[in-house]
Amino acid sequence: MECSLSWYPSDCTPPAAATFRKKLLLLFTMLLLWVYIFYSCAALCLSVPSLAKAGAAQGPQPKLLLLPPPLRAQPEEAPLARDGLAFRSAASRDLLQEDNAELTEESPTALSGHSPKPFDLNLGGYGAKKLPQAIIIGVKKGGTRALLEFLRVHPDIRAVGAEPHFFDRHYDKGMEWYKDLMPKTLDGQITMEKTPSYFVTKEVAARIYAMSKDAKLIVVVRDPVTRAISDYTQTLSKKPDIPSFESLTFKNRTTGLIDTSWSAIQIGIYAKHLENWLQYFPMHQILFVSGERLISDPAGELGKVQDFLGLKRIITDKHFYFNKTKGFPCLKKPEGSSKPHCLGKTKGRTHPNIDPEVVQRLRDFYRPFNMKFYQMTGQNFDWD
């Protein structure tokens, strides 16, 4: 009886060679199926951070082709309305205030994490945590919060939202604790943090140098008299029963001796603090940002910062508009959001009226220190 290789009756037995080929084909099919299941499971494990870490501990994993992170949404292209920049006097408004204690819906999250970047999508599990290559080290009430929020628009900057205070308060917790606070970054991105008290804390310069002698440092400075009044205004908002600004300014008002032990006064002696930092870092690793120009020309100051960090100038006029109610620039709303990104609700406190004679005494006190600071930095900040 003849039998077909493709079909045969039930009482017909196929040749041995045909049976072998069918078994071999079935075995090969099963092998391909197991390989497909293995790679699918491996990809799933790598997509879950906890499973990925466990897998790394057990040994090398098969190399998989990972897709790049999602593209960031771009802000709208309308230029900054220059005719709307009717900036208010910095002496009458606290335009750029830091709030490391007060967290609002517009301010950073708690220290354990960082708030989402404006105009940025989540990086998910991509990248790795690294120690910061750049740090905003000061000064309090100078405009550091505004600078950080503006910088986080840049796709190549990843920053901690809250102030870590590692080098002045938590140094005993170690570098691994500090690094774990940082957001994940990809190759080519810069990790940043800001803690304004670093600039005036003597031990910090040596500690940052021990971490990285190549660290880039940014200091936001502001007219020391206005800065002192702003500092006092913030404290007054929390402790309404504190003595008057005038009484705290002088050791003895009759003699006119300024009390430099009061932190609000002491912080503004910028030249003294800078001398300490120059013992460890050369001047070309320190950038001084004008708090006043950060209000009047945010894009211009941000351009200098981007150059200093070696980044492409992506943050420009098109990212800002002037908020007349708050009295300072805001970031335009990101795509998919109905609100622009302004600083927190605690921003824009009105300064108390200070005796003009006391203000003049303070200007006379700071003038020689300001002149020395201008000489040291090679910049004239026009505070007189």
Side-chain angles (χ1 to χ4, degrees), residues 33-107:
L33 180 61
W34 277 106
V35 170
Y36 174 78
I37 294 174
F38 175 79
Y39 272 85
S40 297
C41 291
L44 177 62
C45 290
L46 285 180
S47 67
V48 181
S50 59
L51 296 178
K53 290 182 180 179
Q58 295 174 1
Q61 300 295 323
K63 292 185 178 179
L64 299 175
L65 180 62
L66 298 178
L67 295 176
L71 294 177
R72 294 168 175 80
Q74 295 299 318
E76 60 192 60
E77 297 295 326
L80 177 64
R82 288 287 183 182
D83 57 350
L85 298 179
F87 299 107
R88 300 185 185 183
S89 169
S92 63
R93 292 281 288 172
D94 186 10
L95 304 184
L96 296 174
Q97 299 195 35
E98 281 64 45
D99 59 337
N100 55 341
E102 303 174 62
L103 299 177
T104 71
E105 62 183 14
E106 296 174 303
S107 63

Side-chain angles (χ1 to χ4, degrees), residues 171-207:
Y171 194 62
D172 59 327
K173 294 184 178 179
M175 286 292 174
E176 286 303 312
W177 178 88
Y178 182 49
K179 185 169 73 173
D180 194 53
L181 298 178
M182 300 299 126
K184 290 183 178 181
T185 54
L186 303 171
D187 289 343
Q189 291 182 321
I190 292 177
T191 302
M192 290 188 69
E193 70 116 316
K194 78 103 177 171
T195 303
S197 55
Y198 286 167
F199 186 63
V200 299
T201 306
K202 191 171 183 180
E203 303 80 19
V204 170
R207 291 172 176 176

Side-chain angles (χ1 to χ4, degrees), residues 117-345:
K117 292 173 60 178
F119 317 120
D120 189 21
L121 299 178
N122 193 351
L123 285 176
Y126 296 105
K129 294 187 176 186
K130 302 172 186 176
L131 292 170
Q133 300 100 316
I135 305 176
I136 300 174
I137 60 174
V139 297
K140 181 184 179 184
K141 313 311 302 172
T144 60
R145 171 57 59 194
L147 177 62
L148 183 71
E149 293 304 307
F150 294 165
L151 282 174
R152 294 172 80 194
V153 172
H154 201 293
D156 290 330
I157 291 178
R158 298 280 289 163
V160 180
E163 296 171 5
H165 282 280
F166 173 66
F167 293 103
D168 60 348
R169 299 180 189 173
H170 304 295
Y171 194 62
D172 59 327
K173 294 184 178 179
M175 286 292 174
E176 286 303 312
W177 178 88
Y178 182 49
K179 185 169 73 173
D180 194 53
L181 298 178
M182 300 299 126
K184 290 183 178 181
T185 54
L186 303 171
D187 289 343
Q189 291 182 321
I190 292 177
T191 302
M192 290 188 69
E193 70 116 316
K194 78 103 177 171
T195 303
S197 55
Y198 286 167
F199 186 63
V200 299
T201 306
K202 191 171 183 180
E203 303 80 19
V204 170
R207 291 172 176 176
I208 293 180
Y209 183 83
M211 177 191 73
S212 172
K213 63 182 181 180
D214 298 318
K216 293 187 176 183
L217 310 173
I218 300 173
V219 189
V220 188
V221 289
R222 184 182 185 186
D223 181 335
V225 177
T226 308
R227 197 221 66 81
I229 298 172
S230 176
D231 199 336
Y232 173 80
T233 302
Q234 178 175 291
T235 305
L236 184 66
S237 69
K238 301 173 184 177
K239 302 176 181 178
D241 58 342
I242 62 172
S244 68
F245 180 88
E246 290 84 351
S247 63
L248 291 171
T249 298
F250 299 100
K251 284 186 176 180
N252 186 323
R253 187 165 182 177
T254 303
T255 62
L257 184 62
I258 303 294
D259 187 359
T260 57
S261 65
W262 184 29
S263 63
I265 300 296
Q266 196 260 350
I267 289 172
I269 310 175
Y270 303 138
K272 175 184 174 182
H273 304 303
L274 180 56
E275 287 176 347
N276 177 52
W277 286 87
L278 292 179
Q279 295 180 43
Y280 299 92
F281 294 94
M283 187 64 79
H284 66 80
Q285 283 180 233
I286 309 175
L287 178 68
F288 295 90
V289 174
S290 167
E292 288 81 12
R293 288 195 290 270
L294 194 59
I295 299 170
S296 63
D297 182 19
E301 287 300 287
L302 267 292
K304 297 175 185 177
V305 178
Q306 291 171 93
D307 292 344
F308 174 70
L309 296 175
L311 299 174
K312 182 179 179 181
R313 285 198 178 196
I314 290 179
I315 308 171
T316 61
D317 276 345
K318 69 183 181 181
H319 290 97
F320 301 98
Y321 79 96
F322 185 72
N323 185 312
K324 294 181 180 180
T325 302
K326 284 183 170 291
F328 51 77
C330 294
L331 295 168
K332 290 183 179 178
K333 64 183 180 181
E335 290 183 6
S337 173
S338 60
K339 293 183 178 181
H341 182 78
C342 289
L343 300 181
K345 294 179 180 178

